[in-house]
Amino acid sequence: QVQLVESGGGLVQPGGSLRLSCVASGFTFEFYTVGWFRQAPGKEREGVACVSKNDGMTYLADSVKGRDTISNDKAKNTVSLPMDNPTPEDTAVYYCAASTMSIVVTTPDCYEHWGQGIQVTVSS
């Protein structure tokens, strides 16, 4: 059974840090392009970060560039999204997703497998 499970979310203060992780079961991340998305109340789902399966190329949205990174630990079958200096605008439900496409993709429709999502709230 294919499953993605996110962890590491919760309440964080502005200027703090957190690390989101996504663990896969039932398949290997090595053969998938993996992305992180987020959706704030009343807004569309937004692609935040992506790492492609083909060449390991990464993508970061302008809204998080310089503050976040994305890494794929093949040995642990885990993709992480460390977040530094979060702001209240980063508050959202964050989703991990996997796609069979070989390139960086930020369109949700291109992803076949999704985690259930995890809440991140940035507030003092």
Side-chain angles (χ1 to χ4, degrees):
Q1 181 180 0
V2 173
Q3 191 173 14
L4 300 176
V5 179
E6 302 98 339
S7 63
L11 176 64
V12 61
Q13 291 188 344
S17 65
L18 75 161
R19 185 183 186 92
L20 300 181
S21 295
C22 177
V23 178
S25 61
F27 69 101
T28 304
F29 269 148
E30 181 178 3
F31 303 112
Y32 287 80
T33 288
V34 182
W36 282 97
F37 292 79
R38 67 185 181 186
Q39 189 164 18
K43 294 187 177 181
E44 293 185 353
R45 192 165 294 189
E46 171 194 16
V48 175
C50 178
V51 54
S52 70
K53 71 172 183 178
N54 194 34
D55 52 9
M57 184 170 292
T58 59
Y59 161 85
L60 292 170
D62 288 341
S63 56
V64 301
K65 196 172 294 183
R67 299 187 295 120
D68 297 0
T69 58
I70 183 170
S71 61
N72 186 348
D73 187 334
K74 295 180 181 179
K76 296 182 179 179
N77 210 26
T78 300
V79 174
S80 298
L81 183 70
M83 301 173 61
D84 290 331
N85 298 316
T87 70
E89 287 68 36
D90 293 316
T91 295
V93 176
Y94 284 72
Y95 298 89
C96 172
S99 169
T100 54
M101 296 189 69
S102 300
I103 58 174
V104 166
V105 287
T106 59
T107 305
D109 289 347
C110 293
Y111 286 80
E112 294 93 344
H113 306 294
W114 289 85
Q116 290 192 333
I118 190 165
Q119 178 70 45
V120 172
T121 302
V122 184
S123 175
S124 56

